[in-house]
Amino acid sequence: MTAYGSANKYAPLAQKWTSAILDYTPTWSAFAAIQAPGNTAGSLQVFHDLSVGELSAWTDGSAITAGSYGAGPVQTITATGKGLKVELKRGDVVRDPGLIDRKAAELVNAAQREIEKAVYTALDTSPSTAYSVGGGLRNYLSGTGDPHPLEDGVTTQFNDIATALSNASLEDARVTMRKWKNFGDGSPIGLGNGPLVLVVPPDLEGLANRITGSASFGSELTALQGEMNPHSQRNYTVVSSPYLTSTVEWFLIDPAAAPIRVFAPVAPHLAIEEQAGDQLTVLSISMEVTSFIQAPPDGLVGSSA
């Protein structure tokens, strides 16, 4: 087989399709951020990152109150390796000049789907997994029965609305976002002032668009029917994905806080090589990618109803 990385007649074609993998905008780009890998290691350590709280009293010449980064719990994030190859017989390639291009396009599409799926898999699974906060463990999405404790061990807050998507529950989520506190000193962070993203499965897409886009209330709120719908005056983006497995869960996300991260230490790469001994043309693709919710989950409110 032609050595990996060596020049071959398919190198320009492989490079074209490798570039095409990243020449698209995933739907999660509206609310998730790329985590800088720092290096190409398959795992990453991410500190439990408390937002900077309120300024302390200070007089000229005195010491300023110090905060610290990296003293708390650490998340260890491990990327998942993904790969696939297609073997084409020489006769098929000769008879069908467009075959290699088509199979390269299919591999690229498969890689893009993996990148797309990673974030929604994190939203599906991470809210029910625990992280360290306030000396204990809490789920990323925790409700009134098991709220998030702040670092003082006394104050609590919750981000699981635990009710089906409706005009009222979205308002509850928005208010929760606006009042969300710094886990360190309990001061409001100031989330929810700008654009917000409502992430839903396809089953809720129509409802989400009606709630956020209708100028007035419909028959679902009889007492307010015909009155102005305040959600229509706010900056919502509805994102729907079939990779969300639940038909009822929904998430309100402040993209400025970007609690959802994508970690891809090894970028997708497509190779096309000839295996002379077996008269085969082999197309292969590989990458490492995962997604996670950074602790604490600032900027994420939702419903596990």
Side-chain angles (χ1 to χ4, degrees):
M1 179 180 284
T2 306
Y4 178 83
S6 66
N8 67 73
K9 65 181 180 181
Y10 294 120
L13 184 61
Q15 182 57 49
K16 181 191 81 168
W17 285 110
T18 294
S19 299
I21 297 172
L22 303 178
D23 283 347
Y24 88 110
T25 302
T27 58
W28 50 251
S29 63
F31 62 88
I34 302 294
Q35 174 73 40
N39 54 52
T40 56
S43 61
L44 174 75
Q45 287 194 325
V46 181
F47 292 115
H48 176 152
D49 191 11
L50 297 180
S51 299
V52 173
E54 294 182 334
L55 300 184
S56 303
W58 175 76
T59 56
D60 192 15
S62 66
I64 297 177
T65 301
S68 61
Y69 174 75
V74 175
Q75 294 171 267
T76 299
I77 309 301
T78 302
T80 302
K82 296 282 186 174
L84 186 66
K85 70 178 180 179
V86 177
E87 296 179 344
L88 304 177
K89 298 177 182 177
R90 178 176 179 271
D92 292 331
V93 172
V94 171
R95 284 186 289 269
D96 185 351
L99 180 60
I100 293 177
D101 244 341
R102 289 202 310 278
K103 292 305 174 184
E106 291 172 10
L107 284 172
V108 165
N109 183 259
Q112 290 173 339
R113 293 198 304 271
E114 288 293 337
I115 295 170
E116 183 82 8
K117 182 170 65 175
V119 166
Y120 298 103
T121 299
L123 275 177
D124 261 342
T125 59
S126 292
S128 61
T129 57
Y131 73 101
S132 178
V133 61
L137 294 175
R138 289 296 184 277
N139 292 344
Y140 281 90
L141 210 60
S142 286
T144 54
D146 189 31
H148 303 277
L150 273 60
E151 295 295 331
D152 62 11
V154 177
T155 310
T156 62
Q157 59 187 347
F158 64 92
N159 61 342
D160 188 349
I161 303 302
T163 53
L165 180 63
S166 67
N167 200 296
S169 63
L170 181 59
E171 179 66 9
D172 288 344
R174 190 193 68 84
V175 171
T176 297
M177 184 84 74
R178 295 281 286 111
K179 296 171 72 173
W180 195 252
K181 298 178 180 65
N182 184 312
F183 276 81
D185 68 1
S187 61
I189 296 178
L191 299 176
N193 287 315
L196 295 172
V197 180
L198 180 56
V199 183
V200 297
D203 313 74
L204 298 179
E205 185 176 7
L207 176 61
N209 282 313
R210 286 195 300 273
I211 291 172
T212 59
S214 297
S216 59
F217 290 115
S219 58
E220 74 278 0
L221 291 173
T222 305
L224 298 174
Q225 188 172 359
E227 293 190 16
M228 189 270 289
N229 173 18
H231 288 308
S232 67
Q233 307 300 307
R234 301 185 179 113
N235 191 348
Y236 288 105
T237 298
V238 174
V239 174
S240 171
S241 174
Y243 292 115
L244 288 174
T245 59
S246 170
T247 61
V248 296
E249 288 187 351
W250 54 274
F251 307 91
L252 185 64
I253 299 170
D254 186 336
I260 302 167
R261 307 293 180 89
V262 179
F263 175 47
V266 177
H269 177 82
L270 177 76
I272 305 175
E273 301 164 339
E274 289 187 319
Q275 187 174 328
D278 293 323
Q279 295 287 288
L280 296 174
T281 298
V282 180
L283 294 79
S284 62
I285 198 165
S286 66
M287 62 181 179
E288 290 183 2
V289 64
T290 194
S291 183
F292 65 98
I293 299 175
Q294 180 158 353
D298 297 335
L300 172 65
V301 179
S303 174
S304 59

